[in-house]
């Protein structure tokens, strides 16, 4: 069983900048081997979180305390995505893997309850539930997009002409249940109408050319009409998928973020975060040493990446792969927790707001040391 080890924290003098800093509440070593944390996702009621590891295992922990709950085993290769997105039950967790399978797990018993295969020698990189009748399960499988009716487990379509390289992302657009966005290493984002019979000729609505390999995409703005895109060369862009146009492009996003960060420089981007309530957008950048900053992005009249509004440091000793958090200045729950992070040092770190409302620096005085020196290069299937 994994135990959360409490971390001592030490208050420092206020910092001269306006960044809000967060301190370690606790840190969990997921294994004591050479493993990575790939992704952290919350259960819909925010009582627990699932964590995918480079050991091809999914572990579950209490989101509030970090207490180990159990684990799901069965994948035989890299787990590329996990999500509590099942239309049928809030207890079901889905995962897809480079072993060519997409599986469902009952997180009460930790047993597999569903599995579909993309076929021999296939890798599944992403998946999404949607469709006009809420019956579709779409998955990016090598350069194809596969569709199943999740209720019958029957494959109903395969789109194989829209992309020429691996499909890294598929997302049904929130509020537009029949519209699907795909993104690929070939640098293209494709919009499909999945109503009716699904095929390459009639369902492809538009193509947006980013021009370089795409890592992650997500939605923002009123009615989710905007689309953000992070690439594997650390560029950021915002698109209007309805009007089929670029809203803002930050080819030098990493250098802009680094220039605004007085204390450090950005080596890579982890993710983006959008607040519907505030209509604000942040890009989350990290350092090879394990620090993280939330950088506000202006993409409307003025295009800029500002100084970090939240900084997480003192918990990780390597590249951070996943972030589960609220927005800067807020907590996720009534325990005062700002969020959780996971990285290539095999750690899960819980971050606690100091609650003072001022720019205090909280530095951990105890850190779990890695068993062996880890490589600084960023490992990822994409």
């Amino acid at each position: 069983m994994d135990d959360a080890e409490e971390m001592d924290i030490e208050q420092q003098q206020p910092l001269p900048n306006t960044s809000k800093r967060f301190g370690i509440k606790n840190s969990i070593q997921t294994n004591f081997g050479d493993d990575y944390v790939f992704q952290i996702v919350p259960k819909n009621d925010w009582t627990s979180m699932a964590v995918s590891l480079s050991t091809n295992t999914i572990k579950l922990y209490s989101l509030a305390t970090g207490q180990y709950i159990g684990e799901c085993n069965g994948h035989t290769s890299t787990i590329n995505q996990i999500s509590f997105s099942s239309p049928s039950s809030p207890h079901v967790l889905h995962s897809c893997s480079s072993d060519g399978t997409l599986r469902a797990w009952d997180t009460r018993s930790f047993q597999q309850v569903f599995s579909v295969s993309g076929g021999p020698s296939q890798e599944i990189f992403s998946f999404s539930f949607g469709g006009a009748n809420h019956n579709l399960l779409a998955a990016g499988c090598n350069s194809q997009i596969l569709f199943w009716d999740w209720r019958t487990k029957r494959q109903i379509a395969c789109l194989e002409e829209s992309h020429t390289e691996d499909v890294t992302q598929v997302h049904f657009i929130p509020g537009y249940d029949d519209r699907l966005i795909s993104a690929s290493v070939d640098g293209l984002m494709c919009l499909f109408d999945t109503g009716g019979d699904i095929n390459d000729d009639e369902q492809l609505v538009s193509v947006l050319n980013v021009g370089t390999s795409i890592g992650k995409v997500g939605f923002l703005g009123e009615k989710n009409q905007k689309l953000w895109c992070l690439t594997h060369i650390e560029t950021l862009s915002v698109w209007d998928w309805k009007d089929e146009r670029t809203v803002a492009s930050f080819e030098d996003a990493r250098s802009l973020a680094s220039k605004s960060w007085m204390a450090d420089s950005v080596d890579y981007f982890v993710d983006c975060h959008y607040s519907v309530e505030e209509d604000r957008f942040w890009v989350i950048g990290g350092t090879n040493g394990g620090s993280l900053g939330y950088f506000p992005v202006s993409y409307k009249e003025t295009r800029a990446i500002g100084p970090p509004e939240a900084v997480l440091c003192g918990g990780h000793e390597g590249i951070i792969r996943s972030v589960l958090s609220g927005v800067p200045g807020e907590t996720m729950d009534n325990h005062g927790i700002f969020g959780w992070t996971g990285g290539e040092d095999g750690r899960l770190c819980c971050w606690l707001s100091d609650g003072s409302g001022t720019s205090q620096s909280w530095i951990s005085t105890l850190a779990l040391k890695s068993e062996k020196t880890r490589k600084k290069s960023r490992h990822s299937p994409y």
Side-chain angles (χ1 to χ4, degrees):
M1 178 175 294
D2 297 61
D3 295 319
E5 180 166 349
E6 292 298 324
M7 309 290 282
D8 295 327
I9 54 177
E10 176 183 343
Q11 184 171 335
Q12 304 292 326
Q13 294 300 312
L15 297 175
N17 60 40
T18 58
S19 298
K20 184 172 182 59
R21 296 204 166 215
F22 294 85
I24 293 292
K25 179 183 179 184
N26 56 46
S27 178
I28 302 166
Q29 193 78 27
T30 56
N31 281 306
F32 290 95
D34 190 17
D35 64 323
Y36 293 172
V37 173
F38 281 146
Q39 189 180 7
I40 311 168
V41 299
K43 193 175 179 182
N44 294 338
D45 61 4
W46 290 81
T47 57
S48 62
M49 58 185 177
V51 179
S52 60
L53 303 173
S54 59
T55 52
N56 308 329
T57 297
I58 303 167
K59 294 190 177 185
L60 289 103
Y61 299 88
S62 164
L63 194 143
T65 67
Q67 179 67 38
Y68 171 80
I69 298 172
E71 61 187 71
C72 303
N73 291 285
H75 283 298
T76 58
S77 189
T78 301
I79 298 172
N80 295 314
Q81 183 185 341
I82 55 175
S83 176
F84 283 98
S85 56
S86 172
S88 60
S89 170
H91 302 292
V92 173
L93 173 75
H94 282 86
S95 60
C96 69
S97 167
S98 292
D99 64 13
T101 65
L102 198 159
R103 308 182 189 216
W105 314 86
D106 188 323
T107 56
R108 295 165 297 186
S109 64
F110 313 110
Q111 297 300 307
Q112 179 180 304
V113 295
F114 169 93
S115 178
V116 294
S117 173
S121 304
Q122 299 281 8
E123 298 181 72
I124 301 180
F125 299 109
S126 60
F127 64 89
S128 183
F129 286 90
N133 297 318
H134 307 286
N135 66 313
L136 294 180
L137 170 57
C141 186
N142 289 19
S143 62
Q144 303 173 338
I145 303 171
L146 304 182
F147 292 86
W148 291 269
D149 185 323
W150 65 265
R151 298 171 299 186
T152 63
K153 304 181 180 64
R154 184 174 64 90
Q155 185 177 323
I156 58 176
C158 173
L159 302 180
E160 52 187 358
E161 298 177 3
S162 301
H163 291 289
T164 58
E165 297 187 64
D166 290 341
V167 177
T168 55
Q169 298 272 277
V170 291
H171 292 284
F172 282 100
I173 303 174
Y176 305 84
D177 294 332
D178 58 349
R179 296 302 172 102
L180 180 82
I181 287 280
S182 64
S184 169
V185 174
D186 63 16
L188 302 180
M189 296 188 293
C190 296
L191 174 66
F192 299 94
D193 182 347
T194 62
D197 294 332
I198 302 173
N199 58 68
D200 285 287
D201 295 327
E202 298 179 10
Q203 265 57 48
L204 181 60
V205 176
S206 61
V207 177
L208 305 174
N209 189 356
V210 178
T212 189
S213 177
I214 301 168
K216 287 185 177 180
V217 299
F219 303 97
L220 73 159
E222 185 179 0
K223 299 181 179 179
N224 294 306
Q225 188 170 329
K226 303 293 192 300
L227 180 71
W228 60 260
C229 173
L230 280 175
T231 72
H232 290 124
I233 59 170
E234 317 299 348
T235 65
L236 170 67
S237 55
V238 178
W239 302 72
D240 188 313
W241 59 265
K242 276 191 171 181
D243 295 343
E244 304 176 24
R245 64 182 178 88
T246 309
V247 176
S249 180
F250 300 90
E251 297 295 317
D252 54 348
R254 187 167 58 177
S255 64
L256 288 174
S258 295
K259 288 176 183 177
S260 73
W261 196 355
M262 300 293 290
D264 222 321
S265 60
V266 174
D267 294 311
Y268 56 90
F269 291 120
V270 182
D271 211 336
C272 290
H273 193 101
Y274 175 69
S275 169
V276 176
E277 294 78 12
E278 299 181 25
D279 188 26
R280 298 193 65 205
F281 178 51
W282 294 265
V283 62
I284 305 172
T287 71
N288 290 334
S291 296
L292 204 68
Y294 284 64
F295 299 85
V297 180
S298 300
Y299 63 91
K300 298 175 183 177
E301 294 82 7
T302 303
R303 301 179 184 182
I305 297 178
E309 295 183 357
V311 173
L312 282 61
C313 61
H316 289 284
E317 294 184 337
I319 290 169
I320 297 171
R321 297 294 297 267
S322 185
V323 178
L324 171 62
S325 73
V327 301
E330 298 180 8
T331 57
M332 291 195 305
D333 58 16
N334 58 9
H335 298 279
I337 293 173
F338 173 71
W340 288 84
T341 53
E344 295 190 4
D345 54 7
R347 295 181 188 174
L348 283 173
C349 290
C350 179
W351 301 90
L352 185 69
S353 172
D354 62 19
S356 66
T358 59
S359 297
Q360 302 284 338
S361 175
W362 296 79
I363 305 298
S364 142
T365 57
L366 172 65
L368 294 169
K369 300 297 182 183
S370 299
E371 291 286 317
K372 56 197 293 188
T373 303
R374 301 186 185 274
K375 295 181 290 184
K376 296 299 182 182
S377 61
R378 198 175 178 208
H379 169 77
S380 175
Y382 289 104

